[in-house]
């Protein structure tokens, strides 16, 4: 399209693809096409793979319709089906390999791969990096009293809350069972403690439904540790884990930080 016919092209595309009024549309404008005459109405065909609809393909010719144009549209739509389905399968496979299906967060393997790069960056550029480990309090009691379906809903709700609360640069994953792990780039121990306290308060005040119309009171215990520069990611997580168990033994629904003296970034000389 071009700037002078933008509105007309947008209207034609919306009608052809039956798009809702607020649907996002990406347009590529070509000023050299400004002098081209308008052609006949757009032709379209659905893209199917078996009985599954994958999308639509449309052609808006600028010359008079040729007798083979509709056959061309159908042929392209048919050929696109296999390629689109393959791309979909690749994306689905990637999602399944990296995502915890229950919470929608990264799984443990994907988390470790992503975080290894962040640890290397923190070490190279002498930046802060902190880890928060949290464990849902009395989760076994929730499962035993309300059933495993209710427990799954609690874990799913915690995952959504973490995704909603944290920054896009933060790495969030389900660590296993009712445990979740967060890696906060460019965040000191004090900053990570503030983040953990904010998440703790939001979780404690959240209304989480058990699927039967009853609200489930949910809290969690948090352990926080900062990367010291001379240790592995596993060692930092282990320190956060020990701090988390101190939070558990100290009464739950609280944040405990690991030793502050280990939270200083390493200088370039070191």
């Amino acid at each position: 399209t071009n700037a002078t016919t933008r509105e007309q092209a947008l209207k034609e595309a919306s009608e052809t693809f039956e798009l809702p009024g607020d649907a996002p549309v990406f347009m590529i404008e070509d000023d050299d096409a400004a002098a081209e005459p308008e052609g006949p109405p757009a032709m379209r065909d659905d893209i199917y793979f078996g009985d599954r609809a994958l999308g639509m393909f449309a052609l808006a010719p600028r010359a008079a319709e040729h007798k083979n144009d509709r056959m061309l549209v159908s042929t392209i739509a048919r050929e696109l089906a296999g390629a689109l389905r393959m791309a979909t399968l690749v994306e689905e496979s990637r999602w399944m390999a990296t995502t915890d299906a229950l919470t929608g967060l990264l799984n443990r393997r994907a988390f470790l791969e992503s975080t290894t790069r962040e640890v290397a960056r923190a070490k190279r550029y002498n930046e802060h990096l902190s880890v928060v480990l949290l464990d849902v309090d009395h989760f076994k009691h929730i499962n035993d009293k309300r059933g495993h379906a209710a427990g799954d809903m609690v874990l799913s709700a915690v995952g959504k809350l973490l995704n909603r609360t944290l920054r896009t640069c933060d790495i969030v994953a389900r660590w296993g069972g009712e445990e979740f792990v967060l890696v906060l780039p460019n965040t000191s121990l004090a900053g990570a403690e503030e983040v953990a306290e904010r998440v703790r308060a939001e979780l404690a005040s959240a209304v989480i439904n058990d699927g039967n119309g009853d609200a489930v009171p949910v809290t969690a215990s948090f352990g926080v540790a900062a990367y010291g520069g001379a240790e592995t990611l596993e060692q930092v997580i282990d320190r956060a884990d020990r701090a988390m168990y101190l939070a558990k033994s100290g009464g739950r629904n609280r944040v405990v930080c690991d030793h502050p003296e280990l939270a200083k970034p390493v200088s370039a000389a070191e």
Side-chain angles (χ1 to χ4, degrees):
T1 183
N2 60 77
T4 60
T5 60
R6 183 185 302 137
E7 294 301 323
Q8 180 182 344
L10 182 59
K11 181 175 182 294
E12 184 178 89
S14 297
E15 291 175 351
T16 301
F17 291 111
E18 300 176 355
L19 301 175
D22 58 348
V25 176
F26 297 93
M27 306 180 71
I28 299 175
E29 296 186 349
D30 180 7
D31 289 336
D32 293 336
E36 292 186 4
E38 290 298 315
M43 295 168 280
R44 81 168 197 190
D45 203 349
D46 294 323
I47 302 173
Y48 276 95
F49 189 84
D51 59 354
R52 181 176 178 182
L54 301 180
M56 286 181 260
F57 174 76
L59 174 67
R62 287 295 174 254
E65 183 177 329
H66 188 275
K67 63 179 181 179
N68 293 329
D69 283 350
R70 295 189 181 275
M71 183 183 299
L72 174 64
V73 171
S74 296
T75 300
I76 294 176
R78 186 169 60 251
E79 293 300 320
L80 280 174
L84 289 175
R85 181 57 180 156
M86 182 61 68
T88 301
L89 289 174
V90 169
E91 180 60 23
E92 288 176 351
S93 297
R94 187 200 64 79
W95 187 88
M96 292 175 64
T98 60
T99 307
D100 174 66
L102 179 60
T103 63
L105 302 177
L106 292 178
N107 59 25
R108 190 168 184 149
R109 175 180 141 193
F111 167 81
L112 291 173
E113 290 177 355
S114 299
T115 306
T116 298
R117 293 190 291 269
E118 288 298 332
V119 170
R121 181 181 293 112
K123 185 173 184 178
R124 180 177 180 180
Y125 296 107
N126 191 31
E127 295 176 345
H128 286 293
L129 182 83
S130 294
V131 172
V132 178
L133 203 64
L134 67 102
D135 184 272
V136 178
D137 295 329
H138 302 296
F139 186 72
K140 185 178 183 301
H141 178 71
I142 294 174
N143 273 339
D144 292 344
K145 181 180 179 181
R146 300 175 184 266
H148 288 279
D152 287 349
M153 294 192 74
V154 167
L155 295 178
S156 177
V158 172
K160 291 176 181 176
L161 184 145
L162 292 174
N163 253 338
R164 184 175 68 249
T165 305
L166 299 175
R167 305 170 300 179
T168 55
C169 66
D170 297 330
I171 303 173
V172 190
R174 184 181 178 189
W175 191 237
E178 64 271 24
E179 289 186 346
F180 297 82
V181 62
L182 325 175
V183 166
L184 311 178
N186 296 307
T187 306
S188 66
L189 186 68
E193 183 179 14
E194 290 181 6
V195 171
E197 181 57 38
R198 185 174 73 248
V199 173
R200 184 206 64 76
E202 290 200 20
L203 182 59
S205 62
V207 179
I208 299 176
N209 195 289
D210 67 354
N212 296 314
D214 296 324
V216 185
V218 178
T219 63
S221 300
F222 294 73
V224 184
Y227 176 60
E231 57 187 337
T232 65
L233 171 64
E234 289 75 13
Q235 289 173 319
V236 185
I237 293 176
D238 184 61
R239 291 196 288 110
D241 187 60
R242 292 199 298 269
M244 183 190 71
Y245 275 98
L246 288 176
K248 287 278 189 187
S249 61
R252 295 182 170 84
N253 189 26
R254 63 189 60 210
V255 176
V256 172
C257 290
D258 188 61
H259 309 293
E261 63 269 21
L262 298 180
K264 300 175 182 177
V266 182
S267 67
E270 295 176 306

